[in-house]
Amino acid sequence: HPEVITFGESMALLIAEGGKGLEYTSNLTPSFGGAETNVAIGLSRLGHSVGWCGRLGDDPFGHRIYKMVRGEGVDVSHASFTEEAPTGLMVRENVAGRSSVYYYRKLSAASKMTPEHLDEEYIAGARILHITGITPALSPSCAETAAAAMDMARRHGVKVSFDPNLRLKLWSVEEARKVLLPLAMKADYFLPGLDELKLLYETDSMDEIISKLGELSAVSIIKGGDDETYILENGKLSAVPYYKVEHVIDTVGAGDGFCAGFLAGLLKDYSLEEAVRLGNLIGSRVIQAIGDWEGLPSAAEIERLLAGKAHVER
Ligand code: KDG
């Protein structure tokens, strides 16, 4: 059984190259992305066993994603294909340093996920179930599936990790609030970004945010502070500083990288602070590479970095 199980939508990704917008570029690079496969790949590269159970279209993009995720060592034995709907697609451009994403994912294969696609026994054998708030944004049946998976995990003493990953291109903040806040109640580890909390709780006040988070039973790990990640445990707030990065290249995927590092820390029985530090380190690597998951480091790279050893190139 994998130590961590996650599921959600992974989509084909086409990236406009050369700093030209999609209207004018003649060069699109294919890749794929999805918050949950990003986390799964991150964990696998750090040496942990992880399963991803997504639903893909029975089409070339779907098969490509399946093979690439499997190639990263992620257990895809519970992922499935359907002929009823296509694999979702996202397209990204970067113009004048600003990255924009366009989704072509309405009625995608992943949006048709239902609780029947979950295998309770598979989830029961894990140590952690990781869910993101993108899944419930896809469709009502996906929202039911996310909640059902969390309930299954809780029934079997599997820890639930939940990253709200608010995507305002998928739903309004009002809709998101109604669904995400009840899901946060089911989590053991709640991993929001500070900006997301401001939107979800409709306040800029840190005191108010902390008091709202205090209503959850989860430990909250708040990403995206100016220079640090916060830990809120039993009403006590602490901060873990970021690793300094000289050149930020692409911030997409940083939060997922953080989650992978944090969950890896939990699996290694690190203290919360040490787990957050590992999360910060993985996030700092992801933002120094192009792509959502390409910059996720291996366990060996992390060991080298922490030992301060230079990489031997030739
Ligand atoms: O966190 C990065 C993800 O947002 C990206 O890989 C794509 O899952 C994705 C989404 O729905 O935007």
Side-chain angles (χ1 to χ4, degrees):
H1 267 107
E3 296 168 278
V4 178
I5 287 175
T6 185
F7 65 86
E9 175 157 40
S10 287
M11 292 161 286
L13 168 60
L14 297 175
I15 308 164
E17 296 296 352
K20 285 189 188 165
L22 284 162
E23 285 190 49
Y24 302 109
T25 190
S26 45
N27 202 351
L28 293 171
T29 301
S31 182
F32 73 94
E36 300 83 4
T37 41
N38 297 342
V39 173
I41 292 169
L43 278 162
S44 176
R45 289 192 184 171
L46 291 173
H48 292 284
S49 56
V50 49
W52 174 77
C53 10
R55 201 149 169 78
L56 295 159
D58 191 3
D59 49 37
F61 279 146
H63 288 281
R64 184 184 164 101
I65 294 168
Y66 181 86
K67 285 183 212 173
M68 290 184 85
V69 174
R70 186 173 59 186
E72 288 288 339
V74 174
D75 177 32
V76 289
S77 60
H78 285 66
S80 56
F81 294 97
T82 174
E83 281 175 6
E84 279 162 43
T87 303
L89 169 68
M90 60 180 170
V91 187
R92 190 176 299 150
E93 63 182 357
N94 190 302
V95 182
R98 181 188 284 256
S99 187
S100 308
V101 64
Y102 303 91
Y103 291 137
Y104 301 84
R105 66 195 298 188
K106 271 210 181 92
L107 306 178
S108 66
S111 76
K112 312 264 184 207
M113 237 186 143
T114 69
E116 284 77 65
H117 294 116
L118 297 171
D119 178 344
E120 181 153 357
E121 206 230 326
Y122 187 60
I123 291 176
R127 284 179 63 190
I128 300 173
L129 171 77
H130 179 71
I131 300 287
T132 89
I134 295 174
T135 306
L138 301 177
S139 66
S141 75
C142 281
E144 266 175 57
T145 311
M150 286 177 164
D151 290 339
M152 285 177 188
R154 292 173 69 85
R155 270 201 289 281
H156 298 281
V158 176
K159 297 281 184 222
V160 175
S161 142
F162 180 51
D163 179 343
N165 256 339
L166 189 57
R167 295 287 180 271
L168 294 176
K169 282 201 172 184
L170 294 179
W171 53 359
S172 69
V173 72
E174 290 77 22
E175 288 171 297
R177 205 173 276 138
K178 267 191 261 154
V179 176
L180 296 182
L181 294 178
L183 288 178
M185 303 291 279
K186 297 180 192 278
D188 296 286
Y189 299 98
F190 184 42
L191 307 164
L194 188 53
D195 290 352
E196 293 171 328
L197 288 174
K198 289 179 180 171
L199 289 168
L200 288 172
Y201 291 134
E202 281 178 278
T203 177
D204 281 344
S205 147
M206 194 65 178
D207 286 346
E208 253 183 80
I209 287 174
I210 289 170
S211 115
K212 293 278 188 196
L213 289 173
E215 293 166 19
L216 306 178
S217 57
V219 170
S220 293
I221 308 293
I222 308 167
K223 303 173 279 180
D226 284 338
D227 305 298
E228 52 212 357
T229 304
Y230 300 100
I231 302 173
L232 182 68
E233 188 188 18
N234 299 326
K236 208 177 132 274
L237 190 73
S238 55
V240 183
Y242 290 155
Y243 285 83
K244 294 251 176 311
V245 170
E246 304 252 319
H247 299 292
V248 176
I249 293 178
D250 175 9
T251 56
V252 180
D256 302 330
F258 174 87
C259 288
F262 174 70
L263 297 180
L266 293 182
L267 293 171
K268 294 177 204 302
D269 293 324
Y270 284 6
S271 68
L272 279 179
E273 194 188 320
E274 287 170 306
V276 167
R277 189 164 293 126
L278 183 56
N280 284 351
L281 180 58
I282 307 298
S284 78
R285 302 304 291 175
V286 171
I287 62 180
Q288 295 178 71
I290 291 186
D292 300 9
W293 50 270
E294 286 84 338
L296 288 161
S298 66
E301 275 171 77
I302 289 301
E303 222 173 274
R304 263 199 310 269
L305 273 173
L306 292 176
K309 286 198 195 122
H311 176 60
V312 181
E313 275 177 14
R314 52 183 182 167

